[in-house]
Amino acid sequence: MIRFNIAPYVGKELEYVKQAVESMHICGDGEFTKKCNEWLEKKTGTSKALLTTSCTHALEMAALLCDIKEGDEVIMPSYTFVSTADAFVLRGAIPVFIDVNPKTMNIDETLIEDAITPKTKAIAVVHYAGISPDMDVIMDIAKRHNLMVIEDAAQGIMSTYKGKALGTFGDYGCLSFHETKNYSMGEGGALLIKDPEKVVDAEIFREKGTNRSQYYRGQVDKYRWMNYGSSYLPSELNAAYLYAQLEVADMINDKRLAVWDKYYKELSELRDKGYIELPYVPEYAQHNGHMFYIKTKDLEERTKIIKFLGENDILAVFHYVPLHTAPAGEKFGRFHGEDRYTTSESDRLVRLPLFYSITDEQTDYIIDKVKEFYKR
Ligand SMILES: *Cc1c(COP(=O)(O)O)cnc(C)c1O
């Protein structure tokens, strides 16, 4: 069976975990966490990066930092992972879902302004498949309406919009290092913070509401309970594991892009014949090969191709039941405007296996089988 995903493993992970153990510091914010934070700051150009226990938790921190309150509205796409909405719903806010642009499956930025009300506090953008919506347009809307912008860049590390790293446009950017993402620490993520003045607040939320981070830096002489907060810092064991992969980030990225390009090139004949649609990469975007998907004619054909590939030992998957159609989405949120594309386009999308250790033999075989399906 060709699995849908295998978490990357580059070889140095266990050596670094051992070093963390031997350093006698395995709780959070040791040397490896520092190294990861610095790597992220250098790579993305953000003023501050903080490793977190997940992207979900980075989003929760962003909601806390934006001071999202009961009854506030946050505009977001319905086609996304649950965490984008959860973080705000936990604070009592209402997710206001709007339709996607079918070309990228990202929030349709031209529909945002119509969804703004006096209660709107923020826009949560998702960089689907490591490709952003038009961030200039979104940042302009946010500025004119005085809204915060949170980027769910769980899939977006190493990707750029007009040359600038995803996660660095909005007030907060949230990354994921879950095992399904391009770089992994098992479970983990990071928060990117644009405004240096927000860093201390972020550290306090991340350290159970205390100023322990300042205390460790020798900036205060005792650490105390300063605000509400939670525990959002990962252990050094996880950070050490991740750092091994960040060190060779380009190698992993290049491999993923090569697989993506191969799928795109080899499957374009099926697109040219009108059988399938392929992903669209806007001029402004450089992506990271996070995901390769095709769009079938309809739901029925998608079900058939997933079954056909499964019978041939290939695990292909679909995802994201649109949030506004799910029980919690109906309960906590609302859809603004018309669902022209969210449901119908998500029904057609199927993802092919793409991971760091996938072999040429495997991708050749997958491509052959997809072509065979459309011959019949
Ligand atoms: C994976 C993912 C998340 C959640 O990441 P975790 O690190 O598992 O919390 C959130 N949003 C999107 C768009 C994702 O793809």
Side-chain angles (χ1 to χ4, degrees):
M1 191 74 172
I2 302 179
R3 287 170 56 174
F4 173 70
N5 178 61
I6 295 174
Y9 186 79
V10 296
K12 271 203 174 165
E13 287 89 341
L14 294 181
E15 186 187 321
Y16 286 177
V17 170
K18 187 160 173 272
Q19 279 179 30
V21 172
E22 285 166 356
S23 77
M24 312 278 267
H25 180 124
I26 60 170
C27 68
D29 282 340
E31 284 308 309
F32 281 105
T33 302
K34 269 191 211 134
K35 280 183 172 168
C36 290
N37 292 346
E38 280 164 15
W39 186 93
L40 288 166
E41 284 155 15
K42 196 154 164 247
K43 189 76 206 173
T44 66
T46 186
S47 34
K48 182 69 193 167
L50 290 173
L51 223 52
T52 60
T53 30
S54 65
C55 177
T56 303
H57 281 167
L59 287 159
E60 286 181 21
M61 284 182 69
L64 287 165
L65 286 157
C66 290
D67 200 23
I68 299 292
K69 293 225 159 55
E70 181 107 30
D72 288 346
E73 295 178 357
V74 181
I75 296 171
M76 64 181 71
S78 170
Y79 185 70
T80 182
F81 189 59
V82 293
S83 303
T84 321
D86 266 332
F88 302 101
V89 169
L90 275 170
R91 310 246 56 79
I94 301 160
V96 174
F97 302 114
I98 63 172
D99 212 4
V100 289
N101 175 344
K103 280 166 103 177
T104 58
M105 300 305 281
N106 278 322
I107 192 167
D108 183 340
E109 57 279 315
T110 66
L111 302 175
I112 292 175
E113 253 179 314
D114 192 54
I116 295 173
T117 74
K119 289 187 172 166
T120 308
K121 195 82 174 276
I123 306 168
V125 169
V126 180
H127 301 304
Y128 186 68
I131 295 169
S132 75
D134 194 327
M135 291 310 295
D136 283 346
V137 172
I138 291 172
M139 294 314 295
D140 176 61
I141 295 170
K143 201 170 161 203
R144 282 188 287 107
H145 295 272
N146 197 21
L147 304 175
M148 313 288 278
V149 174
I150 296 107
E151 296 177 69
D152 180 342
Q155 305 174 8
I157 185 169
M158 302 291 278
S159 291
T160 58
Y161 167 85
K162 296 186 179 172
K164 188 166 145 56
L166 302 191
T168 62
F169 291 86
D171 299 279
Y172 302 102
C174 305
L175 307 179
S176 176
F177 301 115
H178 184 261
E179 76 161 18
T180 52
K181 301 304 198 284
N182 291 20
Y183 310 94
S184 174
M185 55 200 279
E187 300 274 359
L191 180 70
L192 308 184
I193 302 165
K194 182 149 100 183
D195 179 358
E197 295 201 348
K198 294 287 186 183
V199 174
V200 169
D201 286 346
E203 288 174 339
I204 289 172
F205 284 131
R206 182 168 168 270
E207 266 282 19
K208 300 96 182 162
T210 74
N211 57 352
R212 182 148 69 179
S213 299
Q214 285 174 296
Y215 173 71
Y216 279 146
R217 283 196 297 269
Q219 291 165 332
V220 290
D221 60 6
K222 54 178 175 267
Y223 87 82
R224 298 183 300 166
W225 189 28
M226 306 299 287
N227 197 353
Y228 46 80
S230 190
S231 186
Y232 292 130
L233 69 169
S235 111
E236 273 292 284
L237 303 176
N238 299 66
Y241 194 97
L242 176 66
Y243 190 65
Q245 297 181 13
L246 295 183
E247 274 188 328
V248 292
D250 285 321
M251 180 178 86
I252 294 176
N253 200 53
D254 289 349
K255 167 69 191 271
R256 296 190 76 104
L257 284 171
V259 174
W260 195 100
D261 288 344
K262 180 176 170 184
Y263 276 140
Y264 191 89
K265 185 162 164 276
E266 296 294 328
L267 295 175
S268 50
E269 66 177 68
L270 295 178
R271 178 204 49 203
D272 296 342
K273 286 179 184 154
Y275 293 145
I276 60 172
E277 278 175 43
L278 294 179
Y280 169 72
V281 184
E283 194 84 27
Y284 58 64
Q286 171 58 57
H287 72 94
N288 58 0
H290 174 66
M291 182 194 306
F292 192 87
Y293 63 82
I294 62 174
K295 281 188 188 163
T296 60
K297 187 168 89 251
D298 53 22
L299 178 59
E300 195 190 334
E301 185 178 287
R302 182 181 74 178
T303 308
K304 280 188 189 151
I305 192 170
I306 289 175
K307 181 159 174 277
F308 175 79
L309 294 174
E311 284 161 4
N312 285 285
D313 282 338
I314 298 163
L315 190 59
V317 302
F318 64 88
H319 68 167
Y320 300 160
V321 173
L323 296 184
H324 73 287
T325 67
E330 285 175 356
K331 186 168 168 193
F332 299 122
R334 68 159 193 273
F335 196 94
H336 179 87
E338 191 194 340
D339 174 7
R340 269 183 81 188
Y341 298 115
T342 300
T343 301
S344 59
E345 295 289 311
S346 65
D347 276 350
R348 298 167 53 211
L349 189 144
V350 48
R351 304 169 62 188
L352 301 180
L354 201 176
F355 47 87
Y356 173 63
S357 56
I358 200 165
T359 63
D360 268 338
E361 221 181 350
Q362 288 174 318
T363 51
D364 285 341
Y365 176 74
I366 295 164
I367 290 161
D368 280 351
K369 289 296 162 190
V370 173
K371 286 182 177 171
E372 193 181 316
F373 176 82
Y374 282 101
K375 270 205 196 94
R376 305 185 323 158

